[in-house]
Structures are given as structure tokens and as C-alpha cells.
Amino acid sequence: MAQRYVQEGRRWVVDIDLEKFFDRVNHDILMSRLARQVTDDRVLKLIRRYLEAGLMRNGVAQARREGTPQGGPLSPLLSNILLTDWDRELERRGHAFCRYADDCNIYVRSKAAGERLLTDMTTFLAKRLKLKVNDAKSACSRPWRRKFLGYSLTVHRQARLRIAPESLKRLTARVKTLLREGRGRSLSHTIETLNPVLRGWVNYFQFTQGKRALEDLDSWLRRRLRCLLWRQAKHRLGRTTMLRRQGLPEERAWRSAHNGQGPWWNAGARHMRDAFPKRFFDRQGLVSLLDTQRRLQRP
């Protein structure tokens, strides 16, 4: 939908983030919106009790006077009910927008229009719903400079869906953490640890329309694992034996093991790429992000 708006000429986006939304939902306003649709007083009383259920802070029980329990099964539904007024206001003004919970992108044709709209929506949300816009995270900018639910758009006139750079950084940080925690473990155990994370991530981002980011991530992952193998071989004799076992000629294996370079350099060098190509990691069961995405997009 965001792609369509951009291709229609709405090449500015007002990205609005609500500050601590789930912590600041006004109970009275929310209950008044619920009462428009729910006529059973017992249901309304039950939801009110759910909202006012106490919470523990530093071992002390405290009453909840605003907000909804984060992680609770009702909270996403209640947030949508509360923010329906916002949706209707945007529809009344004829704006093109995408909203998921408290994250909203509104597409406009000029920066001036976007900045006016940001000011108007900040006032509307404060007065009508008692909600505060996070000024640090909200802005009027180009769609390809902002992200929505982990995705972004390319700069091309025919906009394409891509993975936001922040989402890529979070995955690489997660992988680095898992590899640090798994030092000393076998390659098969390391791959078993990584696979659920990689599989879940690529399932979420399967709708990306560019393959370069996935190719680069796959290449980086294999290099990290080659680095792990190089470190585990420990010394020159062990590295020579490892490379010989993977099919490299004896002289090349010996020269490669004695090159004096560090593990990360060797992990990206030709001798390690020849010894441990993509097909080696495929046989080990490593999830390929690009291959998985192509399979998921297959009709």
C-alpha cells in the first residue's frame, strides 16, 4: 500500500510515533469508546478491571491509573479501538495512511503539507485522546529515509519494498551475540542455534523486493562461520589439516595456513571460500536467507 501511495505522487511521509502509548492510554476515554459498541455492562466492568489490575514495581504492588498491560491479549485490540477516532479523522481529511497499533505513516505530496499535518495531528491526539506524540521519533521526510514495521522503500520512482537498514543491523547484532555465546561449540550446534533466528527473520521479511541485502547477509553469515572454523583449528598444523581435508592441494593448504593473517581476513580469503563454499553450509543445514525468501515467494 505504501508503494502505491508513493507511486501516485505522495513522495513525502509523516511518520508519527506515540510516546509510551501502551503506558499512557486514558482509561476513561477508552471505556467511552468501548461503550459505543458494547452494551453489556458486565463486559465493560470486566475490561475496566483488566485495565486497572495492579502491577509490580521493585517488588511493590501499585495501582494502574492509565495504560494497558503490555503483552496482554486484549491490549492490541483495545489500542485499535481507541485509535479508531484517529483513523476516522485522517479519512475525513482524505489522507492516504498506513497504521499498525501506535505506529502511523501518512503520505502527502509536499513537505509543507506534511509539516502542517504533523502539527495538526499532534494537537488532535493531545486534545481528543490525551496522547503525546514522540517528537524525537516523529518527522516529515522522504519515505526511503523512514521505516515502517521494519520495512522501507527504495528511492526509485517505481518504489520497491526493502528491508530497513535498522532491521539489518539488529539481525547482525543478534547473530554476533549468539556466536559469542557459542564459542567453543561445534559448527553443527552453532548452526542449530542460528537457524530458528534466521528462519523467523526471513519469514517476516519475505516481502522484500530486493535480493542484494539478503545476498550480503548470507555471505556475511558464511564468513562468520568460516572465521569460527579457522579459530577452532587453533594452530598452523590444524589449519593445514582442515584445508587438506576439504580438498585443497597440500602445498596450497600449507601456504594458506602459514600466511600470518588474522581469522577474519582468512575467513574471507579465497582458500577458505574454496574449502567451505555455500554448498558446504547447505549440507550442514544452514538456513540461506535468499533461498528461503525465493521459496516463500514462489506461487
mmCIF file of all heavy atoms in Angstrom, residues 5-13 107-111 141-144 154-159:
data_model
loop_
_atom_site.group_PDB
_atom_site.id
_atom_site.type_symbol
_atom_site.label_atom_id
_atom_site.label_comp_id
_atom_site.label_asym_id
_atom_site.label_seq_id
_atom_site.Cartn_x
_atom_site.Cartn_y
_atom_site.Cartn_z
ATOM 1 N N TYR A 5 1.012 4.494 -2.750
ATOM 2 C CA TYR A 5 0.898 5.914 -2.412
ATOM 3 C C TYR A 5 2.077 6.713 -2.975
ATOM 4 O O TYR A 5 1.906 7.810 -3.498
ATOM 5 C CB TYR A 5 0.838 6.099 -0.893
ATOM 6 C CG TYR A 5 -0.407 5.530 -0.251
ATOM 7 C CD1 TYR A 5 -0.374 5.055 1.052
ATOM 8 C CD2 TYR A 5 -1.607 5.466 -0.936
ATOM 9 C CE1 TYR A 5 -1.504 4.534 1.665
ATOM 10 C CE2 TYR A 5 -2.744 4.943 -0.345
ATOM 11 C CZ TYR A 5 -2.684 4.477 0.959
ATOM 12 O OH TYR A 5 -3.804 3.966 1.550
ATOM 13 N N VAL A 6 3.278 6.158 -2.857
ATOM 14 C CA VAL A 6 4.463 6.853 -3.353
ATOM 15 C C VAL A 6 4.419 6.975 -4.873
ATOM 16 O O VAL A 6 4.748 8.020 -5.445
ATOM 17 C CB VAL A 6 5.751 6.123 -2.894
ATOM 18 C CG1 VAL A 6 6.982 6.711 -3.561
ATOM 19 C CG2 VAL A 6 5.885 6.206 -1.375
ATOM 20 N N GLN A 7 3.993 5.898 -5.543
ATOM 21 C CA GLN A 7 3.929 5.916 -6.996
ATOM 22 C C GLN A 7 2.810 6.823 -7.508
ATOM 23 O O GLN A 7 2.836 7.254 -8.663
ATOM 24 C CB GLN A 7 3.770 4.490 -7.517
ATOM 25 C CG GLN A 7 5.087 3.709 -7.403
ATOM 26 C CD GLN A 7 4.942 2.204 -7.434
ATOM 27 O OE1 GLN A 7 5.853 1.478 -7.082
ATOM 28 N NE2 GLN A 7 3.786 1.722 -7.868
ATOM 29 N N GLU A 8 1.846 7.146 -6.660
ATOM 30 C CA GLU A 8 0.794 8.084 -7.034
ATOM 31 C C GLU A 8 1.246 9.534 -6.883
ATOM 32 O O GLU A 8 0.487 10.454 -7.165
ATOM 33 C CB GLU A 8 -0.438 7.852 -6.155
ATOM 34 C CG GLU A 8 -1.207 6.588 -6.496
ATOM 35 C CD GLU A 8 -2.334 6.307 -5.508
ATOM 36 O OE1 GLU A 8 -2.428 7.043 -4.490
ATOM 37 O OE2 GLU A 8 -3.084 5.354 -5.727
ATOM 38 N N GLY A 9 2.480 9.752 -6.415
ATOM 39 C CA GLY A 9 2.999 11.108 -6.278
ATOM 40 C C GLY A 9 3.080 11.616 -4.854
ATOM 41 O O GLY A 9 3.496 12.747 -4.609
ATOM 42 N N ARG A 10 2.671 10.792 -3.889
ATOM 43 C CA ARG A 10 2.760 11.191 -2.474
ATOM 44 C C ARG A 10 4.149 10.797 -1.970
ATOM 45 O O ARG A 10 4.314 9.764 -1.325
ATOM 46 C CB ARG A 10 1.662 10.508 -1.655
ATOM 47 C CG ARG A 10 0.247 10.808 -2.164
ATOM 48 C CD ARG A 10 -0.775 9.952 -1.425
ATOM 49 N NE ARG A 10 -2.096 10.052 -2.004
ATOM 50 C CZ ARG A 10 -3.044 10.900 -1.609
ATOM 51 N NH1 ARG A 10 -2.798 11.735 -0.630
ATOM 52 N NH2 ARG A 10 -4.232 10.917 -2.190
ATOM 53 N N ARG A 11 5.127 11.635 -2.277
ATOM 54 C CA ARG A 11 6.521 11.278 -2.041
ATOM 55 C C ARG A 11 7.099 11.913 -0.785
ATOM 56 O O ARG A 11 8.303 12.083 -0.650
ATOM 57 C CB ARG A 11 7.359 11.602 -3.282
ATOM 58 C CG ARG A 11 6.909 10.774 -4.495
ATOM 59 C CD ARG A 11 7.665 11.114 -5.750
ATOM 60 N NE ARG A 11 9.052 10.696 -5.716
ATOM 61 C CZ ARG A 11 9.480 9.464 -5.970
ATOM 62 N NH1 ARG A 11 8.603 8.504 -6.247
ATOM 63 N NH2 ARG A 11 10.757 9.184 -5.941
ATOM 64 N N TRP A 12 6.209 12.260 0.151
ATOM 65 C CA TRP A 12 6.618 12.672 1.496
ATOM 66 C C TRP A 12 5.781 11.886 2.489
ATOM 67 O O TRP A 12 4.608 11.586 2.229
ATOM 68 C CB TRP A 12 6.408 14.169 1.711
ATOM 69 C CG TRP A 12 7.353 15.013 0.922
ATOM 70 C CD1 TRP A 12 7.197 15.451 -0.358
ATOM 71 C CD2 TRP A 12 8.632 15.495 1.363
ATOM 72 N NE1 TRP A 12 8.298 16.183 -0.756
ATOM 73 C CE2 TRP A 12 9.186 16.237 0.287
ATOM 74 C CE3 TRP A 12 9.352 15.390 2.552
ATOM 75 C CZ2 TRP A 12 10.425 16.848 0.362
ATOM 76 C CZ3 TRP A 12 10.581 16.013 2.634
ATOM 77 C CH2 TRP A 12 11.117 16.728 1.553
ATOM 78 N N VAL A 13 6.381 11.530 3.604
ATOM 79 C CA VAL A 13 5.653 10.758 4.611
ATOM 80 C C VAL A 13 5.762 11.451 5.966
ATOM 81 O O VAL A 13 6.823 11.946 6.344
ATOM 82 C CB VAL A 13 6.197 9.307 4.707
ATOM 83 C CG1 VAL A 13 7.655 9.269 5.131
ATOM 84 C CG2 VAL A 13 5.352 8.472 5.655
ATOM 85 N N TYR A 107 0.909 9.691 4.020
ATOM 86 C CA TYR A 107 1.604 10.063 2.785
ATOM 87 C C TYR A 107 1.000 11.335 2.188
ATOM 88 O O TYR A 107 -0.219 11.426 1.996
ATOM 89 C CB TYR A 107 1.557 8.900 1.796
ATOM 90 C CG TYR A 107 2.307 7.702 2.329
ATOM 91 C CD1 TYR A 107 1.677 6.786 3.174
ATOM 92 C CD2 TYR A 107 3.657 7.528 2.053
ATOM 93 C CE1 TYR A 107 2.373 5.720 3.715
ATOM 94 C CE2 TYR A 107 4.358 6.459 2.586
ATOM 95 C CZ TYR A 107 3.719 5.556 3.414
ATOM 96 O OH TYR A 107 4.413 4.520 3.956
ATOM 97 N N VAL A 108 1.863 12.302 1.909
ATOM 98 C CA VAL A 108 1.431 13.607 1.395
ATOM 99 C C VAL A 108 2.289 13.973 0.185
ATOM 100 O O VAL A 108 3.281 13.316 -0.117
ATOM 101 C CB VAL A 108 1.534 14.707 2.482
ATOM 102 C CG1 VAL A 108 0.568 14.430 3.617
ATOM 103 C CG2 VAL A 108 2.963 14.805 3.025
ATOM 104 N N ARG A 109 1.902 15.088 -0.478
ATOM 105 C CA ARG A 109 2.568 15.461 -1.728
ATOM 106 C C ARG A 109 3.672 16.504 -1.556
ATOM 107 O O ARG A 109 4.409 16.772 -2.500
ATOM 108 C CB ARG A 109 1.521 15.971 -2.735
ATOM 109 C CG ARG A 109 0.508 14.907 -3.115
ATOM 110 C CD ARG A 109 -0.462 15.399 -4.184
ATOM 111 N NE ARG A 109 -1.503 14.418 -4.418
ATOM 112 C CZ ARG A 109 -1.382 13.366 -5.229
ATOM 113 N NH1 ARG A 109 -0.248 13.160 -5.877
ATOM 114 N NH2 ARG A 109 -2.389 12.524 -5.393
ATOM 115 N N SER A 110 3.769 17.138 -0.394
ATOM 116 C CA SER A 110 4.808 18.145 -0.206
ATOM 117 C C SER A 110 5.256 18.174 1.251
ATOM 118 O O SER A 110 4.512 17.752 2.150
ATOM 119 C CB SER A 110 4.297 19.529 -0.614
ATOM 120 O OG SER A 110 3.338 20.005 0.322
ATOM 121 N N LYS A 111 6.460 18.694 1.476
ATOM 122 C CA LYS A 111 6.979 18.785 2.838
ATOM 123 C C LYS A 111 6.176 19.773 3.663
ATOM 124 O O LYS A 111 5.913 19.535 4.848
ATOM 125 C CB LYS A 111 8.455 19.194 2.797
ATOM 126 C CG LYS A 111 9.107 19.194 4.169
ATOM 127 C CD LYS A 111 10.595 19.483 4.093
ATOM 128 C CE LYS A 111 11.232 19.376 5.481
ATOM 129 N NZ LYS A 111 12.686 19.644 5.428
ATOM 130 N N SER A 141 9.392 13.385 6.259
ATOM 131 C CA SER A 141 10.604 13.100 5.493
ATOM 132 C C SER A 141 10.242 12.300 4.252
ATOM 133 O O SER A 141 9.073 12.010 3.990
ATOM 134 C CB SER A 141 11.593 12.331 6.365
ATOM 135 O OG SER A 141 12.822 12.145 5.695
ATOM 136 N N ARG A 142 11.246 11.944 3.487
ATOM 137 C CA ARG A 142 11.045 11.077 2.327
ATOM 138 C C ARG A 142 10.792 9.644 2.797
ATOM 139 O O ARG A 142 11.411 9.192 3.778
ATOM 140 C CB ARG A 142 12.271 11.112 1.418
ATOM 141 C CG ARG A 142 12.534 12.472 0.783
ATOM 142 C CD ARG A 142 11.457 12.843 -0.211
ATOM 143 N NE ARG A 142 11.862 13.968 -1.046
ATOM 144 C CZ ARG A 142 11.124 14.471 -2.023
ATOM 145 N NH1 ARG A 142 9.920 13.959 -2.268
ATOM 146 N NH2 ARG A 142 11.559 15.487 -2.753
ATOM 147 N N PRO A 143 9.935 8.890 2.106
ATOM 148 C CA PRO A 143 9.620 7.521 2.550
ATOM 149 C C PRO A 143 10.840 6.610 2.660
ATOM 150 O O PRO A 143 10.895 5.738 3.527
ATOM 151 C CB PRO A 143 8.645 7.018 1.481
ATOM 152 C CG PRO A 143 8.035 8.258 0.923
ATOM 153 C CD PRO A 143 9.108 9.300 0.966
ATOM 154 N N TRP A 144 11.829 6.808 1.771
ATOM 155 C CA TRP A 144 13.009 5.941 1.801
ATOM 156 C C TRP A 144 13.967 6.273 2.935
ATOM 157 O O TRP A 144 14.913 5.547 3.174
ATOM 158 C CB TRP A 144 13.742 5.995 0.457
ATOM 159 C CG TRP A 144 13.931 7.368 -0.087
ATOM 160 C CD1 TRP A 144 14.960 8.238 0.171
ATOM 161 C CD2 TRP A 144 13.049 8.056 -0.985
ATOM 162 N NE1 TRP A 144 14.776 9.408 -0.513
ATOM 163 C CE2 TRP A 144 13.622 9.338 -1.234
ATOM 164 C CE3 TRP A 144 11.843 7.714 -1.600
ATOM 165 C CZ2 TRP A 144 13.015 10.262 -2.075
ATOM 166 C CZ3 TRP A 144 11.247 8.638 -2.438
ATOM 167 C CH2 TRP A 144 11.822 9.900 -2.667
ATOM 168 N N THR A 154 12.591 1.923 -1.636
ATOM 169 C CA THR A 154 13.734 2.389 -2.414
ATOM 170 C C THR A 154 13.450 3.793 -2.927
ATOM 171 O O THR A 154 12.307 4.258 -2.941
ATOM 172 C CB THR A 154 14.017 1.462 -3.608
ATOM 173 O OG1 THR A 154 12.889 1.508 -4.499
ATOM 174 C CG2 THR A 154 14.246 0.025 -3.143
ATOM 175 N N VAL A 155 14.496 4.462 -3.409
ATOM 176 C CA VAL A 155 14.382 5.844 -3.858
ATOM 177 C C VAL A 155 13.827 5.940 -5.280
ATOM 178 O O VAL A 155 13.503 7.020 -5.753
ATOM 179 C CB VAL A 155 15.758 6.542 -3.752
ATOM 180 C CG1 VAL A 155 16.699 6.003 -4.811
ATOM 181 C CG2 VAL A 155 15.631 8.054 -3.841
ATOM 182 N N HIS A 156 13.683 4.837 -5.979
ATOM 183 C CA HIS A 156 13.251 4.853 -7.376
ATOM 184 C C HIS A 156 11.825 5.383 -7.525
ATOM 185 O O HIS A 156 11.018 5.301 -6.601
ATOM 186 C CB HIS A 156 13.328 3.441 -7.967
ATOM 187 C CG HIS A 156 14.661 2.793 -7.780
ATOM 188 N ND1 HIS A 156 14.908 1.855 -6.807
ATOM 189 C CD2 HIS A 156 15.832 2.970 -8.435
ATOM 190 C CE1 HIS A 156 16.167 1.461 -6.876
ATOM 191 N NE2 HIS A 156 16.740 2.122 -7.842
ATOM 192 N N ARG A 157 11.515 5.895 -8.730
ATOM 193 C CA ARG A 157 10.166 6.384 -8.982
ATOM 194 C C ARG A 157 9.161 5.236 -8.843
ATOM 195 O O ARG A 157 8.079 5.422 -8.298
ATOM 196 C CB ARG A 157 10.081 7.009 -10.383
ATOM 197 C CG ARG A 157 8.720 7.582 -10.699
ATOM 198 C CD ARG A 157 8.778 8.493 -11.895
ATOM 199 N NE ARG A 157 9.559 9.687 -11.614
ATOM 200 C CZ ARG A 157 9.064 10.757 -10.985
ATOM 201 N NH1 ARG A 157 7.820 10.763 -10.555
ATOM 202 N NH2 ARG A 157 9.826 11.807 -10.769
ATOM 203 N N GLN A 158 9.504 4.076 -9.380
ATOM 204 C CA GLN A 158 8.696 2.878 -9.143
ATOM 205 C C GLN A 158 9.216 2.241 -7.852
ATOM 206 O O GLN A 158 10.074 1.366 -7.870
ATOM 207 C CB GLN A 158 8.817 1.909 -10.327
ATOM 208 C CG GLN A 158 8.227 2.436 -11.626
ATOM 209 C CD GLN A 158 6.728 2.651 -11.523
ATOM 210 O OE1 GLN A 158 5.999 1.829 -10.958
ATOM 211 N NE2 GLN A 158 6.250 3.757 -12.076
ATOM 212 N N ALA A 159 8.708 2.731 -6.739
ATOM 213 C CA ALA A 159 9.247 2.341 -5.426
ATOM 214 C C ALA A 159 9.131 0.839 -5.207
ATOM 215 O O ALA A 159 8.141 0.215 -5.574
ATOM 216 C CB ALA A 159 8.495 3.087 -4.329
#
